Amino acid sequence: VSQSGTEPAESDAKDASNTEYGYAMGPAPGSEPDSDPESWELSATGIGPISLGMSEAEAKEVAPELVSTPAEFCDMWKVPGLNDVNFGVPPEGLRSIGLVEGSGHGPGGVEAGTSISTMKAKLGSDLTHEPVDMGSLPYDFYYLYSPSKETAVQFVVNLDTQKVMFVSAGYPGEFY
């Protein structure tokens, strides 16, 4: 984490050649990504050049086409060409990035609707299973942590259907 405590640690930045996660991940935040947002892939630290923890001004430096829509509790950002990606931005900066099914931006191609077995095969041993007793709800949780473990991608799965329901990046303890 940076000295401000809001941005992912510099050690979390990955480049396109990194296979530490066990799959070929796309350009990571802070690296030189493909300039086409359609090719950006969600990682534990952000998406494309946009990193978790960034302010709107910082995000506009790396993605000048970003449009911010103010709201009472949490602003929303959109980047043209980056369809079906939701950015949650409270006053302290970017805290969450959620993918809508079919967005095409899932880590290693894993998105809502992917089977649990395919998710495990694509993401390998870096995927951490953290079961939570949800009572009668058949949900379970898997994570891809950044090297510092300050941020992660969370996969919410349905044990009845054996499929991923939700994919989002953010700060552990803040996922909804």
Side-chain angles (χ1 to χ4, degrees):
V1 173
S2 68
Q3 290 181 356
S4 69
T6 60
E7 296 178 28
E10 280 187 36
S11 63
D12 288 344
K14 304 287 179 205
D15 65 34
S17 64
N18 184 358
T19 57
E20 178 177 340
Y21 287 112
Y23 64 94
M25 60 185 269
S31 70
E32 291 296 323
D34 183 325
S35 62
D36 181 6
E38 290 182 23
S39 68
W40 296 352
E41 185 174 287
L42 187 67
S43 76
T45 56
I47 189 166
I50 301 173
S51 297
L52 289 163
M54 281 185 162
S55 67
E56 181 179 337
E58 291 168 325
K60 283 187 173 185
E61 284 180 25
V62 297
E65 63 282 359
L66 181 141
V67 176
S68 179
T69 303
E72 187 173 353
F73 298 107
C74 191
D75 292 351
M76 300 303 289
W77 293 349
K78 291 289 182 191
V79 175
L82 193 59
N83 298 323
D84 299 323
V85 176
N86 298 313
F87 295 90
V89 193
E92 61 269 22
L94 179 59
R95 300 305 287 179
S96 67
I97 304 168
L99 302 181
V100 175
E101 184 173 354
S103 72
H105 302 287
V110 176
E111 300 193 9
T114 301
S115 71
I116 295 172
S117 61
T118 298
M119 174 185 67
K120 289 177 179 179
K122 286 186 172 192
L123 301 179
S125 63
D126 290 311
L127 193 62
T128 301
H129 180 216
E130 296 184 13
V132 175
D133 182 2
M134 300 289 293
S136 63
L137 296 175
Y139 303 155
D140 216 348
F141 300 86
Y142 289 83
Y143 296 88
L144 277 178
Y145 285 100
S146 64
S148 70
K149 298 207 184 307
E150 294 291 329
T151 55
V153 175
Q154 178 187 55
F155 302 89
V156 179
V157 301
N158 183 315
L159 297 172
D160 287 346
T161 64
Q162 292 290 297
K163 293 190 184 273
V164 175
M165 294 173 34
F166 304 107
V167 179
S168 59
Y171 294 83
E174 294 183 15
F175 287 108
Y176 298 108

